Amino acid sequence: MNVSRRSLIRGGAAGLGLLGVGGLAACSSAAPGTVTPTGGTGDAASMVLWTWPEGFGKKVLEAVSSEFPKYSLRQDVIGGDFKQKLTTTFTAKSGLPDISGVKGEDIAFFRNQAKYFVDLNTIGAEDIKSTYLDWKWAQATTTDGKQLGIPIDIGPTALFYRFDVFEEAGLPFDPKELAAAIRSWDEFFALGQELIAKKPGTFLVRNTGGLFETVWKQSGKGFINEDDVFIGGEDHIREAWDTAVKGLKAGIVSTLESNTADAAAAVNEGKLPADFGASWHLADLIVDAPATAGKWHVCEHPGVATNLGGSFLTIPEGAKDPAASFELIKFILDPQNQAYEYQDKGNFPSTPAAFEMSEVAGPVDFLGGQVAAEVFGNAAKTVRPLYENANENTVNAPFYAEIDLVEASGKDPNKAWDDAVKAATRLAKQVGVTVK
Amino acid sequence: MSGHKGPQPVDGFRSLSTSQRMKRSLPLYGALSPYFFFFLVFGAMPMIFTLALAFTNWSGLGDIEFIGFENFGYLFSDPLFFKSLLNTLILWFMGTIPTLTLATILALMLNSTMRFSTTYRVIYLIPNVTSLVAMGILFSSLFSSQFGIANALINLLGFDNIAWLQNEWGIKVAISALTTWSFVGYNALLILAGLQAIDKGQYESAALDGANGFQTFFRITLPQLRPIVFFITLLSTIGSLQSFTEAQVLTSSLSSGAASAGGVGNSGLTMVLYFYSVAFQENRYGYGATIAWGVFVVVMFFSAINWIVTREKKEKKS
């Protein structure tokens, strides 16, 4: 009895812990208040939208209430682990919202549970499909062609860098020149070595795991393919592994973990004058290193861009009026409102039409007045569609664990690779993925 | 003594009819029921459900697939589970020994303090009532590789910086430092209570016999503290075997799945953190439940050892 009561208390503490951590990690730029009721007359149909702490900005919510006086939209901010709470509500079969957000990293999981969502193709999603980027749209399409969500934003990656530090080190510092100088990873590593030679203790890359992630995503294939076969031991991952190890061996990796005090301090002091990131990473930089405002630029990183994050709006099955929900989603996620959201919190639009709008195409002060949307817009067009299986993270975790060991304790990379493949194969078998 | 079978009921309870008995007992059961209600809903039912889940394959949503003992077979051959068990035991050792030692020293100091003793007691209890998550975040700064206080101390001693949280033993040191920090004050108060129960006359006799401070401590104080030390060990064993928050907060930043949880080399991966990662990060509720039952068995095992050890002590005394 004691045991179970204790574990209950522990569980509660864990839950609170998550809330705390989630609250801290939740993107820094954040967030309007908790509940944002928008105006609406007494007889307006009330609609509930579930979202996470960043939520939708005031401007969008106001646009909704003036466009649709017949609806009264309430935005409920769900803190903590969003996916767990949505899952629990699905299981409870009551209290579901009319519209719910689904985070990009959770969409693969929910794609296997399509029966809990309204297939948006049955209520007109096909008509607006061409407005959105194909690869992002496809993330919310099931194998049998159901459309579960409409993309809110995307996270095409680019290289943020301190142009003042690069200039001092005698490196190319104009975004176009720099991008041209680092088309390949080898060129990028050479540039890093030049940087550290001129400025000792200044690293071009944050950590090996992050480098590995960017490179394997560039291959357009992950660790499990569309036929549910484990492909993590194949060449495309091995090449990414070797590239990451090469970067580490070149001595240009700071080995700092992301989201730590050390990393923030290094960014502040110019010891980490470059960082891969999606457009929303700008918000992290603004919070981590406010003193460096105006000294950053952004340019294409070596190879093609990858995607990090970007979420969806969905309609849970059983919502009282799916047609009305869809009408609202269509409006909330139209190019103009996405442009407002970019201005509000740096969420990059999933609709190319928004890239040209003044809210998006304007100069960004933190980036030294650069028009960042040009870079991210081009990046968005080079992102390769990447199939993500619900078990992707389970199966790729051993690779991250092993590359960490290479970085932290100098484990032999070949031995680490073999151990990673072995552990991943074991996990793949356990979760029912075919291993050939 | 003929005619008497057993002792007579003092209050005549047995002579009452069933309904009258019910009437009298009802308030008592009523007073007890809240605990049992909450235990049933939040304790027993989840436990039974977890036991059932351990035999299934379930993603947390949709159909539950029954797979028999497959998960248990996997558990016994899962190197990560045994690694997490070993980590937990090492962390228990690294957390409990300094906690006990420091708590005893603190308690002795408190015991001989004349002024402000209440203030000290309050101060020592503060770490125990502070949120572990908040302290975890604080400790991740203390142990940061470039600017942390831990490294500042190390530099003073003439050593180079250590990347605590990117080092297999560094992570364990950071986690057990956090455990020690949060429990030392509370345990010091328990030991203090034990100290104050020791008869002062014994110290006076020892002083008359010419015993020095060490002799007094090891011959008089420590033997009489034994029950309280056992009690603390039992509590900290159960607590440590289920430790989660410390490791989760200190090592969460890079983990994508269970196999990479707990920092470099999974060195901060405790059993509960492993079960949490499998169930809630990877949506493998079935196997997660199996690990949870593995944790249960381990906790039972160590509780049984504790129980046997303390029981033997009592028997020897009598």
Side-chain angles (χ1 to χ4, degrees), chain A residues 1 3-8 10 13-14 16-18 20-21 24 81 83-84 87 90-91 109-110 113 115-116 207 255-262 265-266 269 391 393-394 396-398 400-401 404-405 408-409 426-427 430-431, chain B residues 35 39 42-43 47 59-63 71 74 77-79 133 137 141 144-147 165-166 168 235 238-239 242-246 248-249 252-254 256-260 264-265 276 280-285 287 296 299:
Chain A
M1 275 192 189
V3 174
S4 68
R5 279 177 68 213
R6 286 186 154 262
S7 53
L8 181 73
R10 287 271 168 183
L16 289 173
L18 274 178
V21 173
L24 285 165
D81 189 336
K83 182 191 68 186
Q84 289 308 341
T87 304
F90 279 137
T91 309
F109 169 73
F110 284 120
Q113 307 294 345
K115 67 174 177 182
Y116 291 95
N207 56 45
T255 74
L256 289 172
E257 276 190 50
S258 308
N259 305 323
T260 59
D262 279 325
E269 295 195 338
N391 290 313
N393 282 345
T394 303
N396 74 27
Y400 287 99
D404 265 5
L405 278 175
S409 43
R426 222 182 109 77
L427 283 166
Q430 196 202 359
V431 298
Chain B
Y35 169 77
F39 174 71
F42 296 108
M47 274 179 84
S59 72
L61 200 58
D63 304 328
N71 283 335
Y74 193 85
S77 63
D78 184 355
V133 174
I137 291 163
S141 290
S144 76
S145 34
Q146 312 289 325
F147 312 95
L165 297 174
Q166 277 124 282
E168 296 188 41
L235 277 191
I238 295 173
Q242 298 179 60
S243 83
F244 164 79
T245 320
E246 298 90 340
Q248 208 263 347
V249 176
S252 65
S253 61
L254 261 184
S256 59
S260 64
V264 173
Y276 163 82
F280 299 106
Q281 254 189 314
E282 300 188 340
N283 304 302
R284 294 156 65 202
Y285 288 83
Y287 188 53
F296 178 79
V299 173

Side-chain angles (χ1 to χ4, degrees), chain B residues 283-306:
Chain B
N283 304 302
R284 294 156 65 202
Y285 288 83
Y287 188 53
T290 314
I291 301 172
W293 276 93
V295 176
F296 178 79
V297 169
V298 172
V299 173
M300 287 297 279
F301 175 76
F302 281 95
S303 304
I305 290 183
N306 255 309

Side-chain angles (χ1 to χ4, degrees), chain B residues 161-280:
Chain B
N161 277 354
I162 296 175
W164 293 98
L165 297 174
Q166 277 124 282
N167 172 304
E168 296 188 41
W169 282 100
I171 291 175
K172 289 201 172 80
V173 170
I175 293 172
S176 38
L178 176 52
T179 320
T180 306
W181 167 261
S182 44
F183 288 103
V184 89
Y186 174 71
N187 288 334
L189 295 186
L190 292 180
I191 294 175
L192 179 64
L195 284 177
Q196 289 176 341
I198 299 174
D199 182 11
K200 292 276 182 293
Q202 294 178 5
Y203 289 107
E204 281 163 22
S205 330
L208 284 175
D209 290 344
N212 65 25
F214 280 99
Q215 285 170 325
T216 316
F217 176 73
F218 285 104
R219 300 278 170 84
I220 296 176
T221 314
L222 209 52
Q224 297 194 64
L225 280 181
R226 191 173 279 150
I228 207 106
V229 169
F230 271 119
F231 174 69
I232 293 175
T233 314
L234 176 71
L235 277 191
S236 83
T237 307
I238 295 173
S240 299
L241 290 173
Q242 298 179 60
S243 83
F244 164 79
T245 320
E246 298 90 340
Q248 208 263 347
V249 176
L250 283 171
T251 65
S252 65
S253 61
L254 261 184
S255 150
S256 59
S260 64
V264 173
N266 308 109
S267 54
L269 185 71
T270 62
M271 288 190 294
V272 178
L273 180 57
Y274 184 41
F275 128 70
Y276 163 82
S277 303
V278 168
F280 299 106

Side-chain angles (χ1 to χ4, degrees), chain A residues 97-179:
Chain A
D98 299 285
I99 303 169
S100 178
V102 167
K103 291 190 175 181
E105 64 261 34
D106 301 330
I107 193 76
F109 169 73
F110 284 120
R111 244 187 357 237
N112 289 349
Q113 307 294 345
K115 67 174 177 182
Y116 291 95
F117 296 93
V118 173
D119 174 10
L120 303 180
N121 280 336
T122 60
I123 48 177
E126 288 286 356
D127 306 339
I128 57 167
K129 186 181 175 195
S130 60
T131 321
Y132 297 84
L133 286 161
D134 287 339
W135 58 265
K136 189 67 193 174
W137 187 270
Q139 282 186 346
T141 314
T142 63
T143 41
D144 56 354
K146 292 193 179 95
Q147 189 64 28
L148 305 188
I150 309 293
I152 298 176
D153 64 326
I154 56 173
T157 54
L159 181 74
F160 291 88
Y161 68 98
R162 284 277 298 275
F163 64 83
D164 60 329
V165 175
F166 276 50
E167 189 176 5
E168 280 169 35
L171 302 173
F173 60 93
D174 174 76
K176 288 205 171 66
E177 280 174 34
L178 180 60

Side-chain angles (χ1 to χ4, degrees), chain A residues 13 16 30 74 143 191 195 231 275 311 315 363 365 387 406 427:
Chain A
L16 289 173
R74 194 182 82 208
T143 41
L191 184 102
L195 175 71
I231 52 169
D275 217 350
S311 29
I315 305 175
D365 293 339
Y387 169 77
V406 175
L427 283 166

